[in-house]
Amino acid sequence: MSEDPREKIIICRCNDVTLKDIEDIIDQGITDIEEIKRLTRVGMGPCQGRTCIPLVAGIIARKTGKKIEEIKIPITRIPVRPVPLGVLVGEDEDEE
Amino acid sequence: MKMKSKADVVVVGGGIIGLFSAYWLAKSGEEVVVIEKKYPGSGSTFRCGTGIRQQFGDYANIQMMKKSVEIWKNLGEMLEFPEFKFAQTGYLFLLYSDEEIESFSKNVRLQNKYGIPSRIITPEEAREIVPLIDISEVKAASWNPTDGKANPFLAVRGLLNALKNLNAEVYPYTEVKEILHRGNEVKGVKTSRGEIRADIILNATNAWAKILNEKLGLKFPIEPYKHQAVITEPFKYDEIKPMVISFKYGGAYLTQEVTSGGVIGGIDLKYGPTWDLTTTYKFMREIAKNFTHIIPALKYIPLIRQWAGYYAETPDHNAVIGKVREYDGYYIAAGFSGHGFMLAPAATKGIVDIILHGKSDLPMDFYDPYRFERGELREQAIQMG
């Protein structure tokens, strides 16, 4: 079996989601980023999609012929970047 | 995808309850379609805390969960979807007072009567199970090794796969606008994409159940409450194997998520009834405070995401499952009050038994939709989050 080069193109570095994973989902007719996110785990790692979600939006636009502005981006939630629980309880100041 | 114009059964709601019901129906040879307003799992299933436990305090939920666990254990095989795995890693309730110990001992006796191997253990034994927990204030723990957790995304994918093989159709992004009926017999649904005729309709819309019921002028007390959950960055697997519960610290539940290894969990801060799902900073602060009391080492672990979902709550925190008297052919399995994912295998088996045979061997009367109007509320189900 020859290897699909798209398996070597990583779209989501946090969760190892490849270009092939994304395109296969889109080929099944799923073009909602929120759904793609939940099925492939793209954008659900520590970077919370800052790297990969714009890439996914681009792939959807290319494959569906839609304009990038028409692709609905999932909502951003707090925290904007990973925060240790100790910082949230304010314990960081107590530490030596 | 072109929609069918008729079926034996229309299931409304493509979450774990709707999909599992459709699975049992299709396996029994019924022609079934599932109508989902958004995409399968998008309502509450994909937002759930992943826990599966038999440590309840009443005869019905204990037996239902025992049955559910039997099915969860074999689900990967049953659906021919080996990616799905039930992690039988237990539930550990940390107890801090004599009152808590007394009430959990009573529950354990009842659980043992139904064959659940739960027991009260010492703080030291609890620490052997999860070495990271702080036991300085813990007086005992209630432990059941046969509880567990599972990945809801894989459960839904497995069910969708199986439904496809059974020729059951699932229509996403399709909304039920009207329930068709002649006199007191339901005849089908009018959706945003056309009509489907069917003599049997199952309302499996959980938090949205009252919207569908109102189309027939029916009222059962199910209201959407906003609950939230968090996940942290992953770390080495099996540091926190079981679901760890602490009522003293925020009604918290937490465990390492079965696929990623990050800590998933929540506390009992809720809002509602409301349709709003905006996450709150207060919740994040409370999580940090309570989680780090239970497992101090978590202070070094970064939280990466927080989200909200609905608990479809009823006055006694038990689901509404059964045949609706006012309309022949109309059934409901909704209002799971935060236990829909774990209860899904048995609850759906029960409702499908009722649909196909008029009765079930499972204790389905406990979830009788008419108990509220009779004033026969059940003892509140043990609920976290």
Side-chain angles (χ1 to χ4, degrees), chain B residues 5 17 23 27 35 48 91 103 129 159 170 176 179 203 212 215 229 235 259 261 276 305 329 340 363 365:
Chain B
S5 61
I17 298 294
Y23 172 75
K27 268 197 95 157
I35 314 280
C48 82
Y91 257 63
S103 121
I129 297 164
L159 283 164
V170 179
V176 171
I179 297 177
N203 178 352
L212 197 66
K215 296 183 194 303
F235 49 91
T259 311
D276 169 61
R305 184 170 62 255
D365 288 347

Side-chain angles (χ1 to χ4, degrees), chain B residues 24-25 70 103 127 129 186 207 214 227 232 291 313 325 365 371:
Chain B
W24 299 122
L25 286 160
E70 282 167 21
S103 121
R127 196 173 52 188
I129 297 164
V186 297
E214 275 164 10
H227 286 246
T232 71
F291 279 20
E313 294 193 11
R325 286 200 298 254
D365 288 347
R371 67 184 186 274

Side-chain angles (χ1 to χ4, degrees), chain B residues 143-201:
Chain B
W143 163 244
N144 177 32
T146 65
D147 293 341
K149 56 193 174 187
N151 179 323
F153 301 97
L154 292 176
V156 163
R157 276 177 52 198
L159 283 164
L160 288 173
N161 246 22
L163 286 172
K164 205 170 172 185
N165 295 337
L166 290 161
N167 295 317
E169 307 251 338
V170 179
Y171 300 126
Y173 299 100
T174 307
E175 192 172 346
V176 171
K177 298 287 185 192
E178 251 177 74
I179 297 177
L180 307 169
H181 61 96
R182 191 180 307 128
N184 68 342
E185 286 173 8
V186 297
K187 290 290 166 200
V189 290
K190 189 173 167 185
T191 78
S192 52
R193 293 175 52 210
E195 277 186 19
I196 304 173
R197 298 258 150 194
D199 290 340
I200 296 170
I201 297 168

Side-chain angles (χ1 to χ4, degrees), chain B residues 249-303:
Chain B
Y249 287 109
Y253 65 92
L254 65 92
T255 190
Q256 273 182 286
E257 197 267 315
V258 61
T259 311
S260 75
V263 167
I264 187 170
I267 50 165
D268 64 10
L269 177 64
K270 70 172 182 184
Y271 302 83
T274 178
W275 293 111
D276 169 61
L277 284 181
T278 317
T279 51
T280 65
Y281 181 61
K282 184 177 181 204
F283 184 86
M284 189 185 283
R285 288 288 301 231
E286 291 293 316
I287 282 281
K289 202 171 79 192
N290 289 295
F291 279 20
T292 54
H293 266 293
I294 300 163
I295 297 182
L298 286 179
K299 68 180 173 200
Y300 304 111
I301 303 296
L303 188 152

Side-chain angles (χ1 to χ4, degrees), chain A residues 12-57:
Chain A
C12 168
R13 296 183 297 199
C14 302
N15 289 339
D16 285 344
V17 182
T18 67
L19 177 61
K20 181 172 187 302
D21 295 331
I22 303 292
E23 292 198 336
D24 284 353
I25 289 271
I26 297 169
D27 288 341
Q28 287 175 40
I30 294 167
T31 58
D32 180 339
I33 294 193
E34 193 186 310
E35 191 173 0
I36 293 173
K37 191 175 129 178
R38 300 217 160 110
L39 292 173
T40 63
R41 317 305 294 160
V42 70
M44 296 186 92
C47 96
Q48 283 297 289
R50 273 183 298 280
T51 309
C52 51
I53 292 296
L55 296 175
V56 176

Side-chain angles (χ1 to χ4, degrees), chain B residues 54 62 66 108 111-118 144 146-147:
Chain B
Q54 300 154 95
I62 292 172
K66 189 182 177 202
V108 160
Q111 290 152 13
N112 292 168
K113 192 180 141 192
Y114 291 106
I116 311 297
S118 52
N144 177 32
T146 65
D147 293 341

